Amino acid sequence: MDTTSPASPPPSDARRSLTTEAVHAGREDLTALGVHAAPLDLSTTYPSPDSRGEAARLDAFAATGAQLSGPPVYARLDNPTTARFERALARLEGTESAVAFASGMAALSAVLLARGAAGLRHVVAVRPLYGCSDHLLESGLLGTEVSWAEPEEVAAALRPDTGLVLAETPANPTLVETDLDALAERCGDVPLLVDNTFATPVLQRPREHGAALVLHSATKYLGGHGDVLGGAVACDEEQARALRQIRFATGGVLHPLAGYLLLRGLSTLPVRMRAQSAGAAEIARRLAADPRVARVHYPRLGGAMVAFEVEGDPHAVIGAVRLITPAVSLGSVDTLIQHPGSISHRIVAAEDRRAAGISDRLLRMSVGLEDVEDLWRDLDAALAASAGSASGPERPAVPATVPAH
Ligand SMILES: *Cc1c(COP(=O)(O)O)cnc(C)c1O
């Protein structure tokens, strides 16, 4: 059995580079366990022969939300495989702690519930956001109330009951960037949550720019292979305690196999990000020079996402790619393309979508590790199909009731 205490101290060598941390962080306990690869512990429960002792440990968790010391008790409380991923992500983001969840949306929900439980139900958010994050706030499903604001308007939008400011940069799907230092200053004492899914800690560490909470859809670059759903919040230990209590009570835990795959994914994150970003920058350069393309969005920060508006029919591009997979989601080793107006941001009302700069002609591409020449040949043929297509982009590809992914 993998009985590591999840509270093992992090290594003290602060000079290690992110590339080295990505390979080694979270694995500090393996030598003592006598193994080289991280073990996968699938237990849902653990032997507890000392009930009195367990009662005291559970009381301590209920009172503080601090991670249990000693062996695990039950898989909804903690799991050593997942804890390794959490320790590693905290190292990479430069935060004290990280708390993993079943998905990015479960992670965001836990933050909103934790703030709501503290009596702070009002959220100030900057558009655009990932479609379902927008929907979660706009719908008020979790009892929150949202004020949408431009980054410059955030200070004016704060109220005494504001519990959170939320922003994405580069944002999904337009890749618009926000100056985090300036935004954090406008938040005052209100914690700023930055969704760092697109940049990853390889390109941007929001904690160093004043963010209190860093959100990841780990489903994307952290996993990196399109085969694991997960989410995480990197933050200080005080916030992490509140999030662990919410996770225990609401049950949105990351499956240990997902924790195993995510730790494995982190070890190649820096090399994947660098290689995929180089491919994306070259694709963005070629698109910008292409007369069939009206506008290209590529962040100053870099990254492996490219968004572009076509002159012709965007649905024809989606229908014509052969090497590139026409699919929602992003961050995998293979290239994906999708039409945000039809899929990832379909659940956002059309007028809100357009006001946030999400044109009906916008396509969002997640560039993988393929050879750029092969990708360009495929995209070039798909753009030829769109330029030759008579139908405009107004026709919806899916019914309006299909929720975004
Ligand atoms: C996908 C995504 C999410 C939601 O994550 P899931 O893992 O799908 O729940 C949140 N934010 C961003 C920026 C995303 O791309």
Side-chain angles (χ1 to χ4, degrees):
M1 191 179 71
D2 177 8
T3 53
T4 322
S5 158
S8 0
S12 55
D13 191 345
R15 292 163 309 176
R16 282 187 190 161
S17 83
L18 188 100
T19 309
T20 304
E21 289 288 5
V23 176
H24 289 276
R27 298 170 190 261
E28 304 79 16
D29 60 321
L30 299 189
T31 300
L33 286 175
V35 297
H36 178 63
L40 168 54
D41 180 354
L42 292 169
S43 303
T44 54
T45 190
Y46 298 83
S48 290
D50 173 15
S51 304
R52 252 188 224 97
E54 297 300 58
R57 292 206 301 148
L58 291 174
D59 285 351
F61 178 81
T64 67
Q67 274 188 317
L68 290 190
S69 54
V73 174
Y74 184 61
R76 187 155 37 73
L77 259 168
D78 65 5
N79 170 277
T81 306
T82 299
R84 283 193 197 92
F85 163 64
E86 292 174 329
R87 290 202 300 273
L89 181 63
R91 293 289 296 174
L92 297 187
E93 285 290 2
T95 57
E96 235 178 328
S97 303
V99 185
F101 293 89
S103 67
M105 292 316 300
L108 177 57
S109 297
V111 173
L112 296 177
L113 289 169
R115 302 311 290 159
L120 303 168
R121 300 182 168 281
H122 180 242
V123 178
V124 174
V126 180
R127 274 181 167 139
L129 295 176
Y130 169 65
C132 210
S133 304
D134 187 308
H135 169 64
L136 184 62
L137 293 172
E138 182 70 10
S139 65
L141 270 173
L142 294 177
T144 55
E145 184 195 337
V146 68
S147 298
W148 299 104
E150 294 299 320
E152 307 74 43
E153 303 164 352
V154 161
L158 299 178
R159 305 192 321 211
D161 64 338
T162 306
L164 193 70
V165 176
L166 202 160
E168 282 180 23
T169 179
N172 188 348
T174 58
L175 308 179
V176 67
E177 291 168 277
T178 302
D179 177 343
L180 286 181
D181 294 296
L183 181 62
E185 207 170 300
R186 291 189 199 106
C187 295
D189 292 339
V190 178
L192 169 64
L193 179 147
V194 172
D195 187 328
N196 203 31
T197 298
F198 275 29
T200 82
V202 176
L203 298 179
Q204 167 178 277
R205 306 215 298 173
R207 182 72 197 91
E208 292 168 359
H209 301 281
L213 302 134
V214 182
L215 183 84
H216 277 280
S217 169
T219 313
K220 316 292 171 49
Y221 289 104
L222 305 190
H225 295 73
D227 56 5
V228 50
L229 197 66
V233 181
C235 54
D236 66 21
E237 174 60 15
E238 190 187 332
Q239 313 253 22
R241 289 178 178 202
L243 292 173
R244 282 187 212 109
Q245 288 174 321
I246 296 281
R247 183 177 64 178
F248 172 59
T250 60
V253 291
L254 186 72
H255 190 274
L257 176 57
Y260 175 91
L261 289 170
L262 289 174
L263 180 70
R264 182 180 172 130
L266 286 185
S267 53
T268 56
L269 179 68
V271 286
R272 281 188 284 111
M273 279 309 285
R274 277 183 220 119
Q276 292 178 219
S277 299
E282 177 59 19
I283 297 276
R285 197 186 61 72
R286 294 187 190 189
L287 286 171
D290 197 299
R292 297 164 296 184
V293 175
R295 189 167 171 207
V296 178
H297 307 250
Y298 187 69
R300 274 187 311 251
L301 186 70
M305 300 298 297
V306 182
F308 57 100
E309 290 160 44
V310 287
E311 295 284 2
D313 179 7
H315 303 292
V317 177
I318 298 290
V321 287
R322 295 292 174 264
L323 173 66
I324 299 166
T325 302
V328 76
S329 196
L330 58 115
S332 184
V333 288
D334 62 313
T335 299
L336 307 177
I337 193 166
Q338 63 109 17
H339 181 241
S342 297
I343 307 193
S344 67
H345 289 70
R346 187 68 187 170
I347 201 156
V348 179
E351 61 272 21
D352 293 337
R353 240 180 8 239
R354 291 189 192 116
I358 307 167
S359 146
D360 286 347
R361 290 180 190 264
L362 185 77
L363 292 166
R364 190 196 74 190
M365 191 159 110
S366 166
V367 177
L369 285 172
E370 299 94 334
D371 186 273
V372 172
E373 299 305 331
D374 291 331
L375 286 177
W376 182 252
R377 256 198 314 281
D378 196 37
L379 199 55
D380 182 49
L383 285 169
S386 85
S389 164
S391 55
E394 289 75 27
R395 171 177 46 91
V398 292
T401 49
V402 173
H405 298 281

